[in-house]
């Protein structure tokens, strides 16, 4: 019964997400735990926006890049989009490990782990379908900058080309 309910949730979410994407809606952000659960039913890469409530550049990303229709549509089609507050005091369970807030770092252990201890906001983390780290990416991204990275991982180009070669080809229009 639990599996049936989860399948129905995924199906209805996909329908509403597709409608929103096709009609200029926002990115369908979810929690880390939701994305993990959905990946068990329909594996997908994860795009994780690691932010803080006080970060001005994070707010600028929300107001600009994350409203770009190309970005919204691409993320919705290729990734589970996770909005993760690096400073959350919530305990996160992932693969039977508990990630808790660490006052000495002013961050949750999951954020520390995802960003390899390099706490910079905004930062983005790309995970593969099996939750393996593809890369963290720090700093504000214009839509065209972010789109290059999204395609690199979303189209699995990273499996056949190094980033430098891909970026050079993209700059030359190849």
């Amino acid at each position: 019964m639990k599996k049936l309910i989860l399948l129905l949730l995924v199906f209805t979410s996909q329908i509403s997400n597709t409608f929103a994407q096709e009609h200029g809606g926002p990115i369908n952000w979810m929690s880390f735990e939701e994305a993990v659960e959905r990946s068990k039913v329909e594996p997908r890469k994860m795009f994780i926006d690691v932010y803080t409530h006080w970060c001005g550049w994070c707010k600028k990303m929300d107001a600009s890049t994350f409203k770009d229709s190309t970005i919204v549509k691409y993320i919705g089609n290729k990734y589970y989009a996770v909005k993760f507050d690096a400073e959350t005091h919530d305990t996160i369970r992932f693969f039977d490990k508990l990630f808790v807030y660490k006052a000495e770092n002013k961050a949750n252990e999951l954020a520390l782990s995802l960003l390899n201890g390099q706490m910079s906001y905004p930062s983005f983390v790309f995970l593969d379908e099996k939750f393996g780290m593809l890369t963290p990416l720090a700093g504000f991204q214009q839509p065209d900058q972010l789109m290059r990275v999204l395609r690199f991982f979303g189209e699995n180009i990273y499996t056949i080309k190094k980033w430098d070669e891909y970026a050079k080809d993209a700059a030359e229009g190849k």
Side-chain angles (χ1 to χ4, degrees), residues 10 14 35-46 77-80 127-131:
V10 169
Q14 287 303 108
V36 169
E37 285 305 308
R38 288 196 186 170
S39 283
K40 290 176 183 177
V41 177
E42 182 189 341
R44 262 193 206 189
K45 291 177 182 70
M46 272 193 222
N77 288 329
K78 295 289 186 172
Y79 295 90
Y80 288 124
L127 300 181
D128 68 19
E129 295 85 349
K130 295 180 180 174
F131 312 110

Side-chain angles (χ1 to χ4, degrees), residues 14-39:
Q14 287 303 108
I15 289 172
S16 64
N17 194 21
T18 300
F19 180 84
Q21 293 158 12
E22 290 174 0
H23 295 88
I27 291 174
N28 182 30
W29 296 109
M30 58 186 74
S31 71
F32 184 78
E33 295 92 335
E34 285 176 296
V36 169
E37 285 305 308
R38 288 196 186 170
S39 283

Side-chain angles (χ1 to χ4, degrees), residues 43-158:
R44 262 193 206 189
K45 291 177 182 70
M46 272 193 222
F47 172 79
I48 306 170
D49 174 21
V50 183
Y51 74 97
T52 63
H53 70 279
W54 49 263
C55 167
W57 287 107
C58 300
K59 292 174 186 174
K60 185 168 173 63
M61 286 286 300
D62 286 339
S64 61
T65 304
F66 291 145
K67 291 205 188 275
D68 180 275
S69 62
T70 306
I71 297 291
V72 171
K73 186 174 182 178
Y74 195 84
I75 287 176
N77 288 329
K78 295 289 186 172
Y79 295 90
Y80 288 124
V82 173
K83 198 78 145 143
F84 187 73
D85 180 358
E87 296 177 339
T88 185
H89 288 246
D90 294 343
T91 298
I92 313 281
R93 179 183 293 276
F94 180 54
F95 286 134
D96 295 324
K97 180 171 176 11
L98 297 178
F99 294 89
V100 299
Y101 178 78
K102 292 291 189 183
E104 63 271 20
N105 300 105
K106 297 182 181 168
N108 188 286
E109 288 176 315
L110 183 58
L112 289 162
S113 178
L114 290 170
L115 300 179
N116 300 316
Q118 303 297 308
M119 309 313 285
S120 172
Y121 312 109
S123 285
F124 315 98
V125 178
F126 293 83
L127 300 181
D128 68 19
E129 295 85 349
K130 295 180 180 174
F131 312 110
M133 174 68 71
L134 294 172
T135 196
L137 172 66
F140 177 83
Q141 301 287 304
Q142 294 287 350
D144 61 326
Q145 295 172 303
L146 183 58
M147 197 64 214
R148 270 194 295 276
V149 183
L150 289 167
R151 282 193 180 117
F152 184 66
F153 294 112
E155 305 298 326
N156 294 318
I157 297 168
Y158 73 97

